[in-house]
Amino acid sequence: MTENFKLRIFTEPQQGATYDDLLRVAKHAEATGYDAFFRSDHYLKMGPVTGEPGPTDAWVTLAGLARETSRLRLGTLMTAGTFRLPGPLAIAVAQVDQMSGGRVELGLGSGWYEEEHTAYGIPFPSLKERFDRYAEQLEIITGLWATPTGEHFRFDGAHYQLAESPALPKPVQQPRPPVLIGGLGKKRTPELAARFADEFNLPFVDVDTAAAQFGRVDAACEAIGRDAGEIVRSAALVLCVGKDEQEIARRAGAIGREVEELRLNGLAGTPAEAVDKIGAWRERTGISRLYLQVLDLSDLDHLDLVANAVAPQL
C-alpha cells in the first residue's frame, strides 16, 4: 500500500465464518501488503444467509489474531457500546494491544441492531439513552488509558460511576490506541468525534453524503478549538473487483448482489474502475483510508487482484 493512502480489509463474520476463516484472510492480507484487518462486532446474521456456524466474539478474535500476525493493524468497525461495560472494555482493548505489540484500534459505536440484542439477552435502551451511555463510555475508556500509572481515575456519570480505579492495564500505544467514531448523526456524532476521535469513518454511503458529514465534523472541531486535520478520514465500501465482466459477475453473485448496484454503491468493476472511484473519493472527501468490505472470505484471489492491480496505482 502507499504511504499516504491505506487499503484495509473489513470482514462481517456474523454472516458465517469461523475463527480459522478469519485467520486465513488476515494472514493473507498481511502477506499481500494490506494495512489492517478489521471486523464487525455483531452476534446475529443479517439478510438471507444462515449465519452458520454462528457468531464469533470480536475481541476474542482479535486477541487470537494479535498472536498470529506481526504487522497488520487490528480493530473493529464498530464495537457496540451496548455489548460491554466501558471499564472491562478498556481492559480488554489494552490487553489485546499488549498482545499485538501495539497494533490495535478501537472502533466504538452506540449499538443499533435490536434483533441481536433480543436474540442474546442484551439490554437495548432507547436511542437517546444509548447515545448518553456512548458519550460516557468514550470519556471513561479514554480517561482510563490517559490516567498516569500510580494515579487513580474517577467518573461520576448518569449511567456509570467509577471510584478509585487504578486504571490498569495500560496499552502499549501512547497516549492510547486510536479511537474510531463513525455514523451519520448530524449533531451528537460530530460533537463526539471532535472530542474523542482519532479517525472518523463513514460506511456504505455515497461521496456527497460523506463530504457533508466530514464537513460537520470539521465544524464541530472548530467549535471546540481542535484542529480537524488531526482526525483521519476514512470510508468503507463493499468490494467486488474482477479482471473482466465475467469475473465481476461471478463475485457479485457469490455475495448475492447485482453488478450494477455494486458499481453504484460499492467499489466494483475492473481494477481501472476501482482506481478511478477511489481517486474521486479522495478528491471529494479527503479520505486517506478505505475499508474494503470482503463478504466472500473464501476468495483470496480477490485480495490478490486488488493488491496487485489497484493498490500500485493509488
Side-chain angles (χ1 to χ4, degrees):
M1 305 301 124
T2 68
E3 284 298 314
N4 296 324
F5 191 82
K6 307 294 185 183
L7 292 179
R8 296 181 154 193
I9 299 302
F10 171 44
T11 61
E12 301 271 7
Q14 76 279 354
Q15 300 300 89
T18 65
Y19 172 76
D20 287 338
D21 294 329
L22 298 173
L23 175 61
R24 184 174 57 254
V25 174
K27 284 190 168 182
H28 197 80
E30 182 166 78
T32 47
Y34 289 91
D35 178 60
F37 177 92
F38 272 60
R39 59 156 293 164
S40 60
D41 191 1
H42 286 295
Y43 290 138
L44 190 68
K45 62 96 173 180
M46 302 169 194
V49 297
T50 67
E52 296 175 356
T56 49
D57 182 85
W59 287 100
V60 172
T61 297
L62 294 176
L65 295 179
R67 306 303 286 181
E68 299 195 71
T69 58
S70 61
R71 180 191 57 78
L72 279 179
R73 305 290 297 176
L74 301 167
T76 49
L77 283 181
M78 298 282 189
T79 284
T82 49
F83 287 179
R84 299 167 179 86
L85 297 170
L89 179 59
I91 291 170
V93 176
Q95 181 182 2
V96 179
D97 196 50
Q98 291 176 357
M99 294 169 69
S100 69
R103 293 183 284 125
V104 158
E105 305 186 10
L106 172 62
L108 184 62
S110 62
W112 63 269
Y113 188 18
E114 184 172 6
E115 288 86 349
E116 69 186 338
H117 294 75
T118 302
Y120 287 97
I122 303 168
F124 189 71
S126 68
L127 178 60
K128 180 184 184 305
E129 182 177 334
R130 295 201 308 277
F131 251 86
D132 290 343
R133 288 179 176 272
Y134 178 38
E136 291 189 15
Q137 289 164 348
L138 286 164
E139 193 162 349
I140 291 166
I141 292 167
T142 57
L144 287 168
W145 289 341
T147 300
T149 301
E151 297 185 13
H152 290 80
F153 177 78
R154 292 183 56 86
F155 184 83
D156 187 18
H159 299 283
Y160 305 103
Q161 298 81 40
L162 287 74
E164 298 305 311
S165 172
L168 296 172
K170 295 302 182 196
V172 170
Q173 296 177 88
Q174 291 297 319
R176 68 186 190 199
V179 172
L180 286 72
I181 292 175
L184 291 171
K186 293 184 178 180
K187 181 174 174 57
R188 295 191 73 181
T189 297
E191 289 174 351
L192 290 174
R195 291 179 60 197
F196 297 108
D198 299 292
E199 178 176 336
F200 192 80
N201 177 266
L202 285 170
F204 318 123
V205 299
D206 63 81
V207 68
D208 291 332
T209 299
Q213 185 69 342
F214 286 134
R216 294 185 189 101
V217 173
D218 289 350
C221 287
E222 183 178 359
I224 64 170
R226 183 181 180 188
D227 178 5
E230 295 175 357
I231 300 178
V232 172
R233 295 182 175 193
S234 66
L237 295 172
V238 62
L239 183 67
C240 185
V241 174
K243 63 181 181 293
D244 53 35
E245 291 300 323
Q246 182 178 1
E247 190 168 79
I248 297 165
R250 175 175 63 78
R251 288 192 164 126
I255 61 174
R257 303 280 286 270
E258 297 293 330
V259 171
E260 291 312 309
E261 179 268 323
L262 286 170
R263 275 192 160 105
L264 179 65
N265 298 315
L267 186 69
T270 63
E273 288 179 279
V275 170
D276 287 346
K277 188 158 191 176
I278 292 171
W281 267 85
R282 293 176 71 179
E283 182 176 357
R284 182 79 172 85
T285 68
I287 62 169
S288 58
R289 292 175 187 165
L290 182 62
Y291 294 79
L292 306 176
Q293 187 195 43
V294 177
L295 295 175
D296 182 359
L297 299 182
S298 68
D299 188 1
L300 298 182
D301 290 342
H302 202 180
L303 275 63
D304 291 339
L305 178 64
V306 174
N308 294 328
V310 176
Q313 300 187 63
L314 300 178

